């Protein structure tokens, strides 16, 4: 049984009245959701509150989950909306990113850099939350551009722009660290 | 040799390039050290992000979420009482309607009315069709009223109205139960997880 099948079965059981089934989903995905949210808000207490809100919203709206889609993608979407609302309330400037495509060439600085975990975490943290999120969903969670676009509710072109900028910025920062 | 747009390197990394473009860009990377270095820089960023560890919330997190889930819905006891009261109301209303109809029509005509409704091979089929269509087209309700009146006399005219109203209320009740019961039932056992 694939993870998708197992998730769908758990959702069905939950909707049928088996409360343990949602606890199963919580156990399975709490780290992924918490990791994403924490890397966006960079505060463990806030991240736990937001991850909790996301799971409660998912539970309340379980009947609206489309079983054809991966459960984790649906959960990421809820976590994204919850986190963005929080960031807008808290720090409006951090989520306001211009989406025009006017990047300049930034050179070849990080061509063969090997980035350590702590350095990567710190450099990732220096990006804006939406860039961080795009990178994490693409490379950490392995989602395709189309899935990310659907999840974030934005055009695929916008996802490409965010990834483009995030990677170029991070590449420059890695290069600067190496130098 | 013209280097491809840097966006093409990002698209190659994202597997978002058309197949024929992939062949061209890969061929270029084999021949151009500068673009290859740039592409490897992007790959290094992707690898570094992919290698980030999964983070865990505090041990208390799970318990807090489960407690929040239990509080996310009305308590089962209150929900059951509410549904029970609504069920009793609908049942009482229907019983009163049937009693009133029986007392006004008299037992014989009342029984004949139910026989007509229960027998699809006879005239009740027409009445049922009118009632079914009345859900979509109110004019059919009037037709059903006239049909009943012609069969059973003027006293029976309100029966289809009552039947339609009872069906409507029952439908609302069943919809509410169907939409709330799974979550209500799911909530019922949260405290035992």
């Amino acid at each position: 049984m694939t993870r998708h099948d197992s998730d769908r079965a758990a959702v069905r059981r939950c909707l049928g009245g088996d409360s343990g089934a949602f606890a199963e989903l919580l156990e399975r995905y709490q780290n992924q959701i918490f990791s994403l949210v924490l890397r966006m808000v960079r505060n463990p207490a806030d991240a736990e509150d937001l991850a909790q809100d996301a799971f409660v919203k998912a539970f309340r709206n379980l009947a609206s989950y489309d079983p054809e889609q991966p459960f984790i993608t649906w959960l990421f979407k809820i976590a994204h909306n919850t986190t963005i609302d929080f960031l807008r309330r808290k720090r409006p400037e951090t989520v306001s990113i211009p989406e025009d495509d006017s990047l300049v060439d930034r050179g070849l600085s990080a061509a063969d850099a090997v980035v350590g975990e702590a350095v990567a975490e710190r450099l990732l943290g220096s990006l804006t939350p939406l860039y961080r999120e795009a990178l994490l969903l693409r490379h950490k969670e392995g989602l395709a551009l189309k899935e990310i676009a659907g999840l974030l509710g934005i055009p695929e072109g916008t996802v490409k722009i965010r990834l483009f900028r995030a990677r170029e910025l991070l590449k420059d920062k890695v290069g600067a660290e190496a130098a | 040799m013209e280097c491809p747009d840097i966006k093409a390197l990002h698209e190659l990394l994202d597997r978002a390039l058309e197949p024929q473009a992939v062949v061209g860009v890969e061929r270029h990377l084999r021949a151009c050290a500068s673009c290859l270095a740039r592409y490897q820089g992007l790959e290094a960023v992707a690898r570094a992000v992919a290698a980030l560890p999964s983070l865990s919330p505090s041990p208390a997190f799970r318990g807090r979420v489960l407690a929040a889930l239990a509080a996310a819905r009305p308590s089962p006891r209150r929900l059951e009482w509410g549904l029970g009261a609504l069920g009793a109301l609908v049942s009482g209303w229907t019983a009163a309607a049937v009693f009133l109809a029986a007392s006004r029509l008299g037992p014989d005509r009342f029984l004949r009315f139910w026989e007509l409704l229960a027998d699809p091979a006879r005239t009740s089929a027409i009445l049922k069709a009118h009632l079914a269509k009345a859900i979509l087209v109110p004019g059919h309700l009037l037709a059903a009223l006239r049909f009943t009146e012609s069969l059973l006399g003027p006293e029976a005219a309100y029966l289809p109205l009552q039947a339609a109203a009872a069906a409507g209320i029952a439908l609302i009740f069943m919809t509410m139960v169907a939409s709330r019961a799974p979550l209500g039932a799911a909530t019922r056992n949260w405290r035992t997880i």
Side-chain angles (χ1 to χ4, degrees):
Chain A
M1 185 187 263
T2 64
R3 171 160 283 208
H4 187 197
D5 291 338
S6 165
D7 289 349
R8 281 196 297 194
V11 169
R12 265 200 307 274
R13 291 205 323 273
C14 190
L15 288 171
D18 176 3
S19 52
F22 198 85
E24 211 177 278
L25 293 167
L26 172 66
E27 185 71 31
R28 194 174 296 160
Y29 293 119
Q30 66 174 20
N31 285 4
Q32 269 176 280
I33 294 297
F34 176 73
S35 296
L36 178 72
V37 175
L38 177 57
R39 288 188 169 114
M40 283 180 76
V41 301
R42 304 185 63 74
N43 177 301
D46 288 341
E48 285 205 1
D49 288 346
L50 292 167
Q52 176 179 320
D53 284 354
F55 278 108
V56 170
K57 283 177 189 169
F59 174 66
R60 278 183 176 149
N61 297 290
L62 206 55
S64 69
Y65 161 65
D66 173 8
E68 295 306 310
Q69 304 300 317
F71 185 74
I72 184 61
T73 308
W74 184 67
L75 214 47
F76 276 141
K77 184 175 188 148
I78 296 171
H80 160 81
N81 291 338
T82 307
T83 307
I84 290 300
D85 284 347
F86 169 82
L87 289 172
R88 283 200 176 115
R89 282 197 308 273
K90 201 177 177 188
R91 294 171 298 179
E93 73 281 6
T94 59
V95 287
S96 172
I97 298 175
E99 301 289 4
D100 64 298
D101 190 2
S102 57
L103 263 174
V104 292
D105 187 353
R106 290 193 175 85
L108 313 169
S109 50
D112 50 7
V114 176
V115 187
E117 194 180 281
V119 174
E121 197 81 74
R122 181 164 49 79
L123 294 180
L124 185 73
S126 68
L127 301 178
T128 57
L130 293 186
Y131 285 177
R132 262 179 260 157
E133 181 182 46
L135 280 178
L136 289 165
L137 290 173
R138 176 73 192 96
H139 299 303
K140 177 82 185 131
E141 303 301 338
L143 299 186
L145 298 185
K146 194 176 176 184
E147 287 178 299
I148 299 173
L151 187 162
L152 301 180
I154 56 177
E156 210 172 306
T158 307
V159 177
K160 282 185 187 174
I161 293 170
R162 284 186 191 174
L163 282 170
F164 181 103
R165 291 181 173 178
R167 279 193 292 244
E168 288 292 324
L169 282 170
L170 211 51
K171 186 159 68 75
D172 283 354
K173 286 171 191 285
V174 171
E177 289 271 326
Chain B
M1 180 176 58
E2 193 179 335
C3 294
D5 188 330
I6 187 167
K7 280 193 283 190
L9 299 182
H10 284 265
E11 289 183 350
L12 180 67
L13 192 65
D14 287 327
R15 298 192 187 93
L17 273 184
E18 294 297 320
Q20 62 270 34
V22 171
V23 174
V25 173
E26 284 181 343
R27 190 187 303 125
H28 178 82
L29 288 179
R30 282 194 292 274
C32 177
S34 162
C35 284
L36 180 63
R38 187 189 296 275
Y39 183 70
Q40 285 172 338
L42 297 177
E43 279 187 323
V45 167
R47 272 199 308 273
V49 175
L52 287 171
S54 180
L55 306 170
S56 306
S58 67
F61 175 77
R62 187 171 182 274
R64 282 217 321 272
V65 175
L66 294 181
L69 293 175
R73 287 269 144 196
S75 75
R77 198 171 174 76
R78 231 169 60 200
L79 185 69
E80 282 161 5
W81 274 106
L83 291 177
L86 191 60
L89 192 72
V90 172
S91 308
W93 193 93
T94 309
V98 170
F99 174 76
L100 276 173
S103 62
R104 286 193 64 177
L105 286 176
D108 292 345
R109 282 200 296 177
F110 182 72
L111 282 175
R112 192 175 160 223
F113 176 77
W114 287 114
E115 279 169 14
L116 284 170
L117 274 183
D119 185 355
R122 297 175 63 194
T123 46
S124 64
I126 304 167
L127 187 60
K128 278 180 179 173
H130 279 309
L131 285 174
K133 287 174 186 168
I135 294 168
L136 297 174
V137 187
H140 281 284
L141 193 58
L142 197 62
L145 285 174
R146 289 199 186 117
F147 182 73
T148 314
E149 196 176 346
S150 69
L151 276 178
L152 301 168
E155 305 95 321
Y158 62 94
L159 272 174
L161 265 180
Q162 285 182 323
I169 291 175
L171 192 66
I172 292 168
F173 172 69
M174 283 188 292
T175 306
M176 286 176 71
V177 170
S179 63
R180 300 194 67 167
L183 286 178
T187 313
R188 195 164 299 141
N189 300 319
W190 276 117
R191 289 187 184 87
T192 63
I193 293 170

